[in-house]
Amino acid sequence: MYVKSEHLRRNEKLKIVFMGTPSYATTILEALCLEPSIEVILLVTQEDKPVGRKQLLTPPHTKAWLLEQGLHVEIFQPKTLRCKEAQEKIAACRPDFIVVAAYGQILPREVLDIAPCINLHASLLPKYRGASPIQSALLAGEVYTGVTSMLMEEGLDTGAMLGFSYLKIEPEHNASLLFNALSSCAARLTLTTLKNFAALLPIQQVSANATHCKKIKKEDGLVSFELDAIEIMKHFKALSPWPGIYLESGLKLLDICLVDESSCNASVGMIDGIETEGIILTCKKGKVLLKILQPVSKNAMPAVDYIRGKRLGRGDTLV
């Protein structure tokens, strides 16, 4: 534990180098910038990237927020942290802590040795180490999730744990809503961890209990009515808004809800009912209500309008 105790005894502001890229990180950055006892002296984030059909060069969310606020925090966007220039730039700041939240690169030993590096990981470690902890918790049907603050080391999310913030996953939570809720948890936990750092006793992770999650890809959104209704709903919640869920035909299921999770159906993918708000489809087990669909290369439309255009009715198979 190599916090500068003399520095803290003088009640000076803690100097923070913050590393983060998406909106999850921005919520934490905002909390740090608003805290009177903390001074964010450098934002390290990913390079601006082309986005959308027009490939407009777009800054990371953290950078965009900082510029909008007009705060006098230097912004650094190295291509890699493994070059000497980037390492010397961070070391020259002489930070008390380096706070990392969804930065997007693994920190090399040269950076880890500059100051205590604290990561805010959106799971209750050692569960869901890796790139998609929020989506993975929803896919697994977890009842609780949370955020872990930990000391970083060269392994992926393997460092000693400093603190936890727990959150109950509510029925309405999809990945986007859960992302926002955990961002707020992470912001509060960051401040608590920094202010109490000298008194914390790091807890080593038990690797035998660890689970890992991969980066989400577009193809992960492929679903079939051969799945149980409850599994389709898990995919829908976990993969909204991106990549969303879709059928093998390319038809996107933009808005769905669970109707029944227990009935066993003789045939799957069959239109079992037509309601004002959508169509009821049979799954391997249970049924779902499809509200909004989007055919390939077309605009989103109500599911009822879609089946009318296809001249489908009750008892027909959707695809």
Side-chain angles (χ1 to χ4, degrees), residues 13-291:
K13 289 187 176 183
L14 289 173
K15 296 185 184 299
I16 304 295
V17 167
F18 183 78
M19 297 183 177
T21 301
S23 58
Y24 170 81
T26 302
T27 304
I28 301 168
L29 175 60
E30 181 177 2
L32 291 171
C33 289
L34 291 174
E35 172 56 44
S37 64
I38 288 172
E39 180 184 5
V40 179
I41 52 178
L42 181 69
L43 167 65
V44 182
T45 188
Q46 296 294 305
E47 296 178 299
D48 295 4
K49 293 182 179 178
V51 173
R53 291 183 180 179
K54 295 184 178 179
Q55 292 290 280
L56 295 176
L57 198 61
T58 305
H61 199 280
T62 47
K63 175 184 176 181
W65 179 83
L66 209 53
L67 294 175
E68 286 171 7
Q69 300 302 310
L71 298 173
H72 299 294
V73 177
E74 187 178 358
I75 299 170
F76 183 44
Q77 297 174 271
K79 189 176 188 67
T80 175
L81 293 176
R82 297 195 176 278
C83 68
K84 190 174 181 180
E85 177 190 0
Q87 296 162 10
E88 290 178 345
K89 173 78 172 177
I90 297 167
C93 295
R94 301 187 65 185
D96 296 302
F97 295 97
I98 297 173
V99 176
V100 184
Y103 171 55
Q105 291 185 35
I106 295 177
L107 275 58
R109 170 53 57 190
E110 291 81 359
V111 174
L112 294 172
D113 287 341
I114 292 172
C117 295
I118 298 175
N119 179 240
L120 282 302
H121 186 71
S123 81
L124 299 173
L125 290 171
K127 267 193 171 183
Y128 306 121
R129 294 173 178 173
S132 57
I134 295 173
Q135 296 95 327
S136 297
L138 288 168
L139 284 170
E142 295 283 4
V143 176
Y144 286 91
T145 185
V147 179
T148 305
S149 61
M150 66 172 181
L151 284 171
M152 297 182 71
E153 56 184 32
E154 289 181 279
L156 180 62
D157 302 324
T158 58
M161 302 173 292
L162 299 170
F164 302 91
S165 178
Y166 292 81
L167 181 72
K168 188 176 188 298
I169 299 178
E170 302 294 346
E172 66 272 15
H173 276 149
N174 59 19
S176 182
L177 292 174
L178 194 54
F179 196 96
N180 292 336
L182 289 174
S183 297
S184 299
C185 291
R188 293 190 293 270
L189 181 59
T190 302
L191 297 179
T192 299
T193 300
L194 291 173
K195 290 179 180 181
N196 298 283
F197 184 79
L200 296 177
L201 182 63
I203 302 170
Q204 295 298 323
Q205 295 188 44
V206 179
S207 292
N209 296 334
T211 58
H212 297 80
C213 49
K214 63 180 183 178
K215 185 176 181 180
I216 298 295
K217 297 180 180 178
K218 185 176 181 180
E219 51 264 36
D220 293 322
L222 178 63
V223 297
S224 163
F225 294 114
E226 293 288 346
L227 293 171
D228 292 348
I230 196 71
E231 289 302 316
I232 292 176
M233 289 306 304
K234 287 177 185 178
H235 279 74
F236 175 68
K237 290 180 178 182
L239 303 177
S240 296
W242 190 90
I245 61 171
Y246 59 91
L247 305 178
E248 193 170 1
S249 65
L251 183 67
K252 295 180 180 178
L253 314 183
L254 298 184
D255 190 5
I256 71 173
C257 65
L258 184 66
V259 173
D260 167 32
E261 64 178 87
S262 60
S263 65
C264 295
N265 303 298
S267 57
V268 299
M270 185 185 75
I271 300 172
D272 191 58
I274 303 173
E275 309 287 342
T276 304
E277 57 181 332
I279 59 175
I280 298 173
L281 261 287
T282 58
C283 306
K284 181 180 179 182
K285 184 179 180 181
K287 301 173 186 178
V288 292
L289 176 69
L290 308 186
K291 298 180 180 180

